[in-house]
Amino acid sequence: MPTAKPLRIATVNVNGVRAAFRKGMGDWLAGRNVDILAVQEVRASTEDLEALLGEEWDLLHDPATSKGRAGVAIASRNRASIHRVELGAPDFDSAGRWLEADYEVGDRVVTVVSAYVHSGVADDSPKMVEKYRFLDAMEARLPELAAHSELALVVGDLNVGHRTLDIRNWKGNVKRAGFLPEERAYFDRFVGAEGDELYNAGAGFGWIDVGRRVAGDVPGPYTWWSQRGKAFDTDTGWRIDYHLATKSLADTVVDYQIDRADAWDTRWSDHAPVVVDYAI
């Protein structure tokens, strides 16, 4: 890939890619000059994706085992040198939720993961058990990724708000999936805990939450808003879409943007794209 300009990597949960394109995703993509696009909750076939994106994109797609659900993909301007979809134990079905790809950028290799963590529910239901199994597998994989490539990046809808800053109405959600102490503890191990001297600067596994590093200790900025009520209009959102980068990659960030729609009726997903420029 060319190195004259920063490498622009975007991630978005499209909430069904065919519906997203009908509502305007194609116009957004055409004007954003993205080099690598990670999408989650594709809910479509590979043929559908190829037709929507066009021939100028090289496409990797891992559909869910259950048709019409989940699904992750990575589209890029240049072909990946290798990709992987395995995550966790052999009996664990991660299909449609974890896709890794290596890209040659100049003389360096950048590893990008498109991830879609289960939403879960706050009880001992099978859905929550699967969410914790996925987070366990992710926890085991992150150190391996960092050892594999010093320029590694996990992006996507991780369905956990790490800190109180990440949810507008956090007090009303302390017992809801997505903000449970047990879920947030995983992110303490990934990037460090709030109050840790090296939080987001080498604590935990040493990964960096790029969004929080750029924004600082401020509420949000949020990436998802409920379709109910006036959540979008009042900015009552959650920050659950991440760029988690190794320190070497995070140190190259020159721009971070959340492409929040101008108005509720111009949205093409309930998530906003998170777009980051890396000067590699």
Side-chain angles (χ1 to χ4, degrees):
M1 290 184 182
T3 58
K5 70 175 186 66
L7 183 70
R8 179 164 292 176
I9 301 178
T11 181
V12 62
N13 178 323
V14 294
N15 196 20
V17 70
R18 289 169 295 186
F21 265 80
R22 286 197 301 269
K23 297 175 182 177
M25 180 181 172
D27 292 337
W28 167 81
L29 187 59
R32 213 49 180 94
N33 201 24
V34 171
D35 296 301
I36 298 175
L37 172 68
V39 293
Q40 303 86 45
E41 210 168 348
V42 174
R43 302 204 314 245
S45 69
T46 300
E47 291 74 20
D48 288 332
L49 264 175
E50 290 173 338
L52 291 167
L53 289 171
E55 295 181 353
E56 66 268 28
W57 290 93
D58 183 71
L59 179 65
L60 300 172
H61 178 216
D62 187 36
T65 303
S66 300
K67 187 177 180 180
R69 301 186 62 187
V72 289
I74 306 176
S76 60
R77 299 298 187 180
N78 285 42
R79 185 179 296 273
S81 58
I82 192 172
H83 73 278
R84 300 165 294 275
V85 296
E86 295 82 9
L87 180 71
D91 65 342
F92 176 54
D93 181 13
S94 63
R97 294 187 179 272
W98 186 269
L99 174 61
E100 304 177 9
D102 289 352
Y103 296 94
E104 295 179 2
V105 182
D107 60 354
R108 310 184 77 179
V109 173
V110 178
T111 298
V112 178
V113 180
S114 181
Y116 177 40
V117 177
H118 307 65
S119 55
V121 289
D123 56 25
D124 294 327
S125 71
K127 290 183 178 179
M128 203 65 201
V129 171
E130 284 297 289
K131 183 171 188 176
Y132 284 130
R133 288 191 73 190
F134 190 95
L135 288 169
D136 285 339
M138 183 175 169
E139 181 175 357
R141 183 60 181 151
L142 284 180
E144 297 172 349
L145 278 173
H148 167 74
S149 172
E150 67 173 359
L151 302 179
L153 179 68
V154 177
V155 301
D157 176 4
L158 303 188
N159 261 317
V160 178
H162 182 204
R163 298 174 57 187
T164 57
L165 294 172
D166 295 322
I167 302 180
R168 174 74 176 272
N169 180 25
W170 68 267
K171 291 182 180 178
N173 287 285
V174 292
K175 295 183 179 181
R176 288 188 59 190
F179 199 61
L180 298 173
E182 296 86 352
E183 296 171 294
R184 297 162 63 197
Y186 283 92
F187 284 72
D188 289 346
R189 295 190 285 275
F190 298 164
V191 304
E194 183 176 6
D196 189 320
E197 183 178 350
L198 291 179
Y199 159 72
N200 219 21
F205 293 168
W207 289 73
I208 306 298
D209 176 351
V210 172
R212 183 54 61 206
R213 172 183 273 194
V214 172
D217 286 341
V218 300
Y222 309 118
T223 64
W224 174 83
W225 301 263
S226 172
Q227 299 278 34
R228 300 174 182 174
K230 295 185 178 296
F232 184 80
D233 294 336
T234 59
D235 201 25
T236 304
W238 295 48
R239 191 178 73 92
I240 54 177
D241 300 88
Y242 291 84
H243 280 235
L244 295 182
T246 54
K247 186 177 185 304
S248 294
L249 183 58
D251 287 346
T252 73
V253 171
V254 291
D255 191 56
Y256 172 95
Q257 300 289 333
I258 295 174
D259 286 0
R260 189 181 190 273
D262 293 332
W264 181 88
D265 59 358
T266 65
R267 295 192 300 168
W268 42 266
S269 173
D270 51 352
H271 293 253
V274 182
V275 186
V276 181
D277 289 351
Y278 297 91
I280 299 171

